[in-house]
Amino acid sequence: MAPISIKTVLISESVDPRCKTILEENGIRVTEKQNMTKDELIAEIKDYDGLVVRSATKVTADVISAANNLKIIGRAGTGVDNVDVPAATKKGIIVMNTPSGNTISAAELTCALLMSLSRNVPQAAMSMKQGNWDRKKFMGAELYGKVLGIVGLGRIGKEVASRMQSFGMRTIGYDPITPPEVSASWGVEQMSLEQLWPQCDYITVHTPLLPSTVGLLNDESFAKCKKGVKVVNCARGGIIDEEALLRALESGQCGGAGLDVFVEEPPKNHSLVEHPNVISCPHLGASTKEAQARCGEDIALQIVDMVKGKNLVGAVNAQVLASTFSQESQQLIKLGEAVGSVLQSFSASKKPFSHVQITTQGDCMKSSTGYMTSAVLVGLLNHESGCCPNLINALSLAKETGITVYQAHCASAGATEGVCKVEIAANGCSYKASGSVQGGAPVLLELCNSVFRQPISLTGNLLFFKAPANPQLLSSLAGKKM
């Protein structure tokens, strides 16, 4: 990936001091300003290339719109619920999190809540502080031999599984992404949610908050569970429908809940928090010294590695950049942008474009189709009014302007080097171009069915003139020698 210039970073929340130290050691100026209002952040953000937040700062579309220089938003933690990712993507801003920074802390809190639910530890401790000795009231149950359903088998779900297996629990789970053979290797049998609900004695959720996961545990799913099932949510408020949970608690269908997160934080409706079978915490999943140190250090190191063109970790909206760190990929990106730019100029009078077909050819380009597509679109859209395309936002900008994008790869047809072929349609007309990288530089091989016996270097300024073959044409264009 070409180095991205990050000279100034604003840290808007309390993060570990190592974050600032690492950034400054690598030549980045850092300003720390906490507890800003939305208007204060909007006024402040225009001066910075980077923004580092935790969960309290709401990076809304208004904030992003005001951020004229912003290139990266770094979230020192896992979720990015507080960042308007689509707005950032549209503006070509990388949104980055620290995917493993608080894994252990969140997993340990989940296990603590599971154990507390099984033995009524908080309620018993509170009763003791009130001078009571209620042994019978707090009769619990062993975890040994019980079934734990884990919904979401990412990093945290995996760590929870390994810890609860040590208590002799059987772990089953569901995840639409993690392959069943992978989760089986760490002792979790995958199945559908319909199969999972009726088997569980305990359920813990570890999914992101998405439209597909909102209310994942609701009246319908609670009805399919064992009577008295206990549930834990240390992921995101809203994955468990709070009203449905309260109904299940009151009916006895749910025997207890451990909640670290809520739809509204802090919760204004205290019905759940005050329920005797609910153990609640004020969003403490990442609140350990170790997690905070790890997340603060990780986000700084990830930003530095990105700036130096070494690596890209945790980018939630810029996966296309992950394979663009080699010199070869940089040459291919320049080729894609150049071919796109040539076609943009060649068809300028026929816009708007209706569709673009990008085809990569040759084994050496098999893994480059994604970023080549974005690179071509950058060249095509570069002169559009109000457009500032880059590899991050090119696809979304194309979609917004009504361009249908097709991408494909085919095997090499005898050529040793990789070839990028592009065809665009505009107002019923079709324009084609193809190019490759030769000697480390992009060259044009063909333009609108005209094949160049000597490939044209796609550097500097180019002038294309189309005319029928005529021996006198060159001298008439260049002028007679004096």
Side-chain angles (χ1 to χ4, degrees):
M1 186 179 72
I4 295 176
S5 177
I6 304 290
K7 297 180 179 179
T8 56
V9 166
L10 172 65
I11 300 177
S12 65
E13 296 181 57
S14 176
V15 298
D16 188 87
R18 280 284 294 156
C19 180
K20 180 179 180 181
T21 300
I22 291 169
L23 292 173
E24 289 182 334
E25 286 175 349
N26 286 275
I28 298 173
R29 297 194 305 276
V30 178
T31 301
E32 293 183 288
K33 288 192 176 183
Q34 300 178 27
N35 303 317
M36 284 184 288
T37 65
K38 178 182 176 180
D39 290 340
E40 289 171 337
L41 180 58
I42 287 173
E44 183 75 23
I45 195 63
K46 66 182 187 300
D47 298 323
Y48 297 92
D49 301 316
L51 172 65
V52 173
V53 303
R54 284 179 59 193
S55 57
T57 303
K58 307 304 177 188
V59 190
T60 63
D62 291 340
V63 173
I64 290 167
S65 177
N68 297 324
N69 299 323
L70 201 61
K71 301 176 183 70
I72 184 165
I73 301 167
R75 160 79 162 97
T78 49
V80 288
D81 304 16
N82 55 316
V83 179
D84 190 328
V85 177
T89 302
K90 182 178 178 181
K91 202 164 182 180
I93 299 169
I94 297 172
V95 179
M96 178 185 287
N97 66 353
T98 53
S100 59
N102 61 9
T103 296
I104 299 301
S105 293
E108 288 183 354
L109 181 62
T110 300
C111 296
L113 288 174
L114 287 167
M115 288 183 278
S116 296
L117 283 172
S118 71
R119 300 303 295 271
N120 302 304
V121 175
Q123 297 94 324
M126 185 60 67
S127 177
M128 285 285 289
K129 289 181 183 295
Q130 295 170 349
N132 301 318
W133 185 262
D134 295 321
R135 296 183 66 192
K136 291 183 179 180
K137 182 178 180 181
F138 300 113
M139 177 68 68
E142 292 183 352
L143 293 173
Y144 181 82
K146 301 301 191 299
V147 177
L148 172 63
I150 305 171
V151 181
L153 297 169
R155 292 178 179 86
I156 297 172
K158 177 184 177 182
E159 296 297 336
V160 169
S162 67
R163 283 156 178 74
M164 300 318 295
Q165 286 162 11
S166 68
F167 282 82
M169 296 192 85
R170 176 187 169 217
T171 50
I172 61 176
Y174 167 79
D175 192 297
I177 298 173
T178 302
E181 59 271 19
V182 172
S183 61
S185 70
W186 23 273
V188 178
E189 178 189 355
Q190 274 205 55
M191 58 190 66
S192 70
L193 289 174
E194 295 300 307
Q195 294 171 306
L196 181 140
W197 300 135
Q199 297 188 52
C200 298
D201 299 295
Y202 296 82
I203 296 171
T204 178
V205 294
H206 299 285
T207 72
L209 185 64
L210 304 169
S212 59
T213 62
V214 171
L216 199 61
L217 263 166
N218 51 37
D219 288 312
E220 185 179 348
S221 44
F222 272 120
K224 296 174 183 176
C225 293
K226 286 183 181 180
K227 188 172 181 64
V229 65
K230 295 179 173 65
V231 299
V232 171
N233 186 3
C234 288
R236 284 290 180 265
I239 298 171
I240 299 177
D241 184 317
E242 292 180 353
E243 293 183 359
L245 173 58
L246 186 58
R247 286 190 287 270
L249 286 163
E250 290 174 343
S251 70
Q253 182 64 19
C254 177
L259 304 175
D260 186 47
V261 290
F262 300 86
V263 173
E264 186 178 30
E265 295 184 355
K268 292 180 180 177
N269 183 349
H270 291 275
S271 302
L272 268 179
V273 175
E274 293 172 355
H275 194 281
N277 293 337
V278 170
I279 301 167
S280 56
C281 302
H283 204 147
L284 299 179
S287 294
T288 63
K289 293 177 181 178
E290 294 84 355
Q292 292 310 303
R294 203 178 295 122
C295 287
E297 185 171 335
D298 283 357
I299 197 65
L301 290 171
Q302 289 171 205
I303 291 172
V304 169
D305 282 350
M306 181 199 70
V307 169
K308 292 184 175 181
K310 290 183 177 179
N311 196 9
L312 185 68
V313 175
V316 301
N317 69 334
Q319 293 86 346
V320 70
L321 300 180
S323 55
T324 62
F325 287 85
S326 67
Q327 183 179 357
E328 292 77 12
S329 65
Q330 286 306 300
Q331 294 168 352
L332 291 173
I333 288 168
K334 289 178 181 177
L335 168 65
E337 290 182 1
V339 172
S341 185
V342 166
L343 283 174
Q344 191 278 335
S345 298
F346 205 72
S347 59
S349 63
K350 299 292 185 180
K351 290 190 289 185
F353 309 130
S354 57
H355 81 254
V356 180
Q357 170 75 55
I358 298 105
T359 304
T360 52
Q361 180 177 301
D363 291 343
C364 62
M365 297 185 75
K366 196 169 185 179
S367 61
S368 66
T369 305
Y371 64 76
M372 284 299 291
T373 297
S374 294
V376 169
L377 291 173
V378 169
L380 279 171
L381 298 171
N382 208 22
H383 300 287
E384 292 291 313
S385 177
C387 264
C388 295
N390 60 21
L391 295 181
I392 302 163
N393 64 7
L395 278 170
S396 61
L397 288 175
K399 183 177 180 181
E400 188 177 278
T401 54
I403 302 173
T404 303
V405 179
Y406 304 94
Q407 51 187 331
H409 177 80
C410 63
S412 178
T416 55
E417 72 279 350
V419 175
C420 175
K421 297 182 176 182
V422 182
E423 179 179 358
I424 64 173
N427 283 331
C429 298
S430 176
Y431 303 89
K432 300 177 182 179
S434 67
S436 68
V437 174
Q438 296 182 6
V443 296
L444 188 65
L445 303 175
E446 182 180 353
L447 178 61
C448 292
N449 299 316
S450 295
V451 179
F452 301 104
R453 285 176 289 180
Q454 179 64 42
I456 307 299
S457 175
L458 288 171
T459 55
N461 296 317
L462 298 172
L463 175 64
F464 292 94
F465 184 84
K466 185 175 182 180
N470 187 314
Q472 283 77 43
L473 180 62
L474 184 59
S475 60
S476 65
L477 281 174
K480 294 181 180 179
K481 185 176 180 182
M482 299 297 292

